[in-house]
Amino acid sequence: MSTSNLTLSQFSLRRLSGKRALLLAFSTLLILFLTLPLVALVLRALPLGIEAWTSRATLDALQLSLTTATIATLIAFGIGTPVAYVLARENFRAKPIVDTLIDVPMVLPPSVAGLALLMAFGRRGLLGPPLAALGLELPFTIAAVILAETFVAAPFYVRSAKAGFGAVDRKLEQMSELLGVSPFRTWLRVTLPLSAPALFGGLLMTWARALGEFGATIMFAGNFPGRTQTMPLAIYSGLESNLDSALVLSLLLVIVSFGILFVVRAISPKGITLG
Amino acid sequence: MLSLDIHKKFDGFELALTLSTPSEKIIVLFGASGSGKSLTLASIAGFITPDAGRIQLGERVLFDAVGGINLSPQARKIGMVRQDLTLFPHLSAADNIAYGLKGPRKDKERRVRDLLELMRLTSFGARKPTELSGGQQQRVALARALAIEPTLLLLDEPFSALDLATRIELRRELKELQQRLRTSMLFVTHDLGEAALLADEMAVIESGRVLQFAPPNQILREPSNARVAQIVGVKNILPAKIIDVNAVRIGERIFETDPVKFPIGSQVRACIRAERVLLIRPEGPSRVHPNTIAGELLDQESDGNDVMLRFRADDARLQPELDFDLHIDIPVYVYERLHLSRQRHWLVTLKPSVLHLVTE
């Protein structure tokens, strides 16, 4: 009786450790697969001299990307904040549709987004003639870069902000109003500070996504160095003409991506950023 | 003067609560969860809008469906303390208390200092809510509600989440505070002891209605009907028949009562609080009260404070269809002193004042 028990427990112990070894092997494989390309990139980019970092192509793309991504993020903040608040607090019949529509750009292939933007704002697009009448021509301009980045990246902010607002207990807002504070000032003094980490995390994710935007930009804004050639586009072009610049820009984007994910993880322990 | 007349229909629940009383005291709304107490407070605060009725506080009308008056929560000047999630988590205790204050900073600071002192929190002003104990948090919440000098303070089970010792301490403090500041308070609880302890007047609430509104002693001794008796913990509620102006038949037995207000022959219920049944030694003085029954203790349970016994009459049963006749509660130390675990045969006396008769 006791011997059979002993062998049974030994057996399960062995099985457990076998399972653990298997898990370990698979996770090592996955981590290697995910990090190896990044390590290779870093190994190639690091020894490059100062001229690769300061070349015209590198600096132009860097400046354009930082500017457009920041503006796109600000637009997402300005328009996305009230939308996120309404989606978090109000219930209306069309809400599921609006919710879904806002999420669509997150899963839509960026090239489709670029084509759709062309069909809407292009010269022969839906709004082309009225825009032309006003003397505005969007495609292949810096404005087009910003529009493409906003279109693709804004949902990241709206999602995160919506989750942030939703997590603020309504009872606290009620209590504030009962203490004689107006709804708007309640929003400023209670809702906003309590959802600030989620808003900030959402802004960082939006900025990072805008910085990395490729497909929609190249379709809608083109790939003109110094005008619409953002970092990802410069990397794509650099593969043929200027590999050093491409490597340097790639390294920058890797660092930025890593840094932002790290910060977002640190400020939002509940992981509400990606919904 | 606090005057409530609140009507609102929800899915499967209807609030129809009417109550009027001179203010400047503690009024307790007592009832089980789901009886409509919190909805009543939410209506008074202005978080929900009644379908009909009127809410008046002194001279001020907060809500009047007919007159089209509905003040915003912001304009009602009402303080509130809830059971949980009451403090702003991103603000210190002092900033929480200052939250609703207006005017120059100097005045605000002085007021916050005074309130911290009043609530014995002087050294805790800089702490965040998470760095305070549950009792301290509720003290801060009280101070914050009092800061705006409310005309009415709503308390929604504010002590229910606290441990017993803190709860007892805060109840006493609240009562003292009310006597000092004379602020009208509306206190919601499902704890009968808490209700009886705090209330100047107490409303028993069920299904969104007030079943009885009176001082707690009166409700405990003279519940207005069998349902109230049940809610306020009367264990013996026996069917009875009036047979004379001061006599009633319960089961197979006749009892003397105080003069009754029911016509002779009518069916009523006799409410007998289990802790007011007297045990007498059978070998004691022979002058036997007419309302005395000889019988046997069947079994007992104890919650640590009291022993809850079941008693059965030897002959002429009160509830012949059951296997016992009366619940009797006595303190543990009395149980031990009377050696009730050994001696099982006793006389039981129901004084006329203990027999409270109500309609079915």
Side-chain angles (χ1 to χ4, degrees), chain B residues 113 115-126:
Chain B
R113 235 184 357 256
L115 283 160
L116 282 171
E117 200 185 306
L118 180 75
M119 300 312 297
R120 301 192 290 111
L121 288 164
T122 307
S123 53
F124 298 100

Side-chain angles (χ1 to χ4, degrees), chain A residues 169 174 176-177 180 189-190, chain B residues 74 78 82 85 90 99 102:
Chain A
D169 198 298
Q174 288 183 339
S176 163
E177 286 179 41
R189 290 176 66 184
V190 176
Chain B
Q74 197 190 334
I78 282 178
R82 291 188 204 256
L85 263 178
H90 58 304
Y99 189 87
K102 300 191 166 67

Side-chain angles (χ1 to χ4, degrees), chain B residues 26 159 169-181 185 195-200:
Chain B
I26 303 183
F159 309 143
E169 190 183 326
L170 277 178
R171 280 175 195 155
R172 204 194 54 235
E173 282 182 30
L174 184 76
K175 196 140 181 129
E176 283 170 13
L177 206 61
Q178 199 280 328
Q179 278 155 7
R180 181 132 50 114
L181 304 175
M185 297 183 183
L197 193 82
L198 285 173
D200 293 309

Side-chain angles (χ1 to χ4, degrees), chain B residues 310-326:
Chain B
R310 293 200 303 167
F311 175 85
R312 183 173 58 203
D314 291 337
D315 49 352
R317 303 276 314 277
L318 276 66
Q319 306 191 86
E321 67 283 6
L322 298 182
D323 57 2
F324 74 102
D325 290 307
L326 287 170

Side-chain angles (χ1 to χ4, degrees), chain B residues 279-284 294-300 307 309-311 314 328 330 334-348:
Chain B
L279 282 177
I280 300 167
R281 279 184 197 283
E283 66 274 22
E296 187 187 357
L297 300 175
L298 298 176
D299 48 23
Q300 62 274 317
V307 181
L309 303 151
R310 293 200 303 167
F311 175 85
D314 291 337
I328 304 171
I330 56 169
V334 176
Y335 178 85
E336 284 164 2
R337 273 189 60 176
L338 293 179
H339 304 294
L340 282 178
S341 54
R342 272 184 279 129
Q343 172 149 12
R344 306 303 279 177
H345 220 90
W346 288 83
L347 297 179
V348 148

Side-chain angles (χ1 to χ4, degrees), chain A residues 7-41:
Chain A
T7 47
L8 189 70
S9 69
Q10 273 175 340
F11 177 68
S12 66
L13 198 72
R14 210 166 38 229
R15 256 178 50 139
L16 195 73
S17 65
K19 201 164 120 193
R20 194 177 277 186
L22 205 63
L23 271 177
L24 198 69
F26 275 116
S27 14
T28 313
L29 206 63
L30 182 65
I31 290 168
L32 271 180
F33 173 67
L34 290 179
T35 49
L36 195 67
L38 296 181
V39 172
L41 187 71

